Amino acid sequence: MMIKSAVTMTSNGGGRDPDIELFVKAGSDGESIGNCPFSQRLFMILWLKGVVFNVTTVDLKRKPADLHNLAPGTHPPFLTFNGEVKTDINKIEEFLEEVLAPPKYPKLAAKHRESNTAGIDIFAKFSAYIKNTRPDANGALEKSLTKALKKLDEYLNSPLPEEIDADSMEEEKSSNRSFLDGNELTLADCNLLPKLHIVKVVAKKYRNYDIPSDMTGVWRYLNSAYSRDEFTNTCAADKEIELAYQDVAKRLVK
């Protein structure tokens, strides 16, 4: 079963939009959005670009024949752009940034190189923590995840160059920006936020782990994302995320 839905954004005027169809992983009901940070990453990019596109959710349990013919051996996410199939996520991101460019479409690349690598190791630390079955290793793995989150928190609370007043004699203030690279979502956020949200949901459900409340930067970042349609409308429901990790999250066995 494939569910198709059109996402119509306000056109930025001038010329026709390209014909874009995004194929994303379906949820447990075969219709809703499933847990897949890579699907959400591309979904967010297209939404932020303000281009008109179609989204099709693909039920991996009943992968339709026409889809198999379109992209043999490929799992979602992938997209068709004016009929051409594109399957490599990083290359798709580069391609969309190049062809959906100003003045008609906004540039989404982060201005600061550090924004692209902030939080880069969080998901790997989380995966090790959630897949571990040994109680004696749990503490160290949890500490390792917390350390990676703390590093992200420090980045989000450190002012970007444009937030620092060079003429001011006051001590450097901390940042209160919403996202990694400023107050607007960038490609860096499209990559990190879906993963960070999974970490928050799954670690709580299966390890009763909360992102520490004193990590004000991380919580400001998540809450900023939760206030944006580009994030909430492209995200799987928490129940879907928990379900996806049911067999991955190992029970600690004494």
Side-chain angles (χ1 to χ4, degrees):
M1 178 74 174
M2 291 200 294
I3 300 299
K4 235 176 172 169
S5 64
V7 179
T8 309
M9 310 307 297
T10 313
S11 181
N12 298 333
R16 263 190 73 219
D17 277 325
D19 182 12
I20 302 173
E21 185 151 7
L22 174 66
F23 295 84
V24 300
K25 182 181 160 189
S28 54
D29 61 1
E31 297 181 6
S32 60
I33 298 167
N35 170 67
C36 174
F38 309 107
S39 290
Q40 189 179 5
R41 176 181 172 185
L42 295 182
F43 203 161
M44 283 179 74
I45 291 168
L46 288 169
W47 195 305
L48 286 162
K49 283 289 183 187
V51 66
V52 177
F53 62 105
N54 282 310
V55 181
T56 299
T57 55
V58 181
D59 185 355
L60 295 181
K61 295 191 290 291
R62 298 189 296 274
K63 199 173 175 185
D66 56 348
L67 191 67
H68 180 72
N69 298 334
L70 183 66
T74 303
H75 280 315
F78 60 88
L79 62 77
T80 57
F81 191 96
N82 289 337
E84 191 185 333
V85 180
K86 299 192 174 291
T87 57
D88 182 301
I89 295 158
N90 290 328
K91 285 182 182 164
I92 291 171
E93 180 182 275
E94 284 170 24
F95 173 77
L96 293 174
E97 183 70 350
E98 197 181 308
V99 296
L100 302 177
K104 188 172 182 186
Y105 306 103
K107 190 174 184 296
L108 295 179
K111 293 191 293 290
H112 306 283
R113 206 173 60 228
E114 300 79 14
S115 297
N116 293 316
T117 53
I120 201 164
D121 57 344
I122 289 173
F123 206 64
K125 306 283 187 197
F126 154 76
S127 295
Y129 173 53
I130 214 75
K131 290 173 182 175
N132 169 55
T133 55
R134 291 169 38 219
D136 60 329
N138 187 61
L141 290 167
E142 185 173 301
K143 203 173 275 182
S144 182
L145 172 61
T146 302
K147 194 175 166 188
L149 286 163
K150 184 68 190 157
K151 212 166 131 196
L152 172 64
D153 187 63
E154 284 164 3
Y155 182 69
L156 288 162
N157 280 332
S158 302
L160 295 169
E162 61 267 28
E163 292 180 291
I164 299 166
D165 182 357
D167 302 323
S168 174
M169 297 302 288
E170 289 173 37
E171 266 192 50
E172 204 175 279
K173 65 176 182 11
S174 67
S175 177
N176 62 357
R177 67 185 183 276
S178 301
F179 302 110
L180 287 170
D181 206 56
N183 286 320
E184 291 305 323
L185 288 158
T186 63
L187 295 175
D189 301 300
C190 296
N191 187 14
L192 182 61
L193 276 169
K195 295 173 182 170
L196 188 62
H197 178 66
I198 289 169
V199 170
K200 189 197 89 166
V201 171
V202 175
K204 176 65 180 169
K205 170 76 176 173
Y206 294 107
R207 291 289 182 271
N208 199 27
Y209 174 89
D210 287 300
I211 296 172
S213 56
D214 63 356
M215 291 192 189
T216 53
V218 173
W219 280 107
R220 185 178 65 248
Y221 184 45
L222 282 168
N223 289 326
S224 297
Y226 300 153
S227 73
R228 294 285 294 259
D229 287 348
E230 297 94 336
F231 182 81
T232 56
N233 290 348
T234 57
C235 190
D238 287 3
K239 282 271 173 274
E240 281 295 335
I241 297 171
E242 291 170 359
L243 201 59
Y245 275 86
Q246 207 167 27
D247 299 327
V248 180
K250 304 297 182 196
R251 287 177 63 171
L252 295 175
V253 183
K254 288 205 166 50

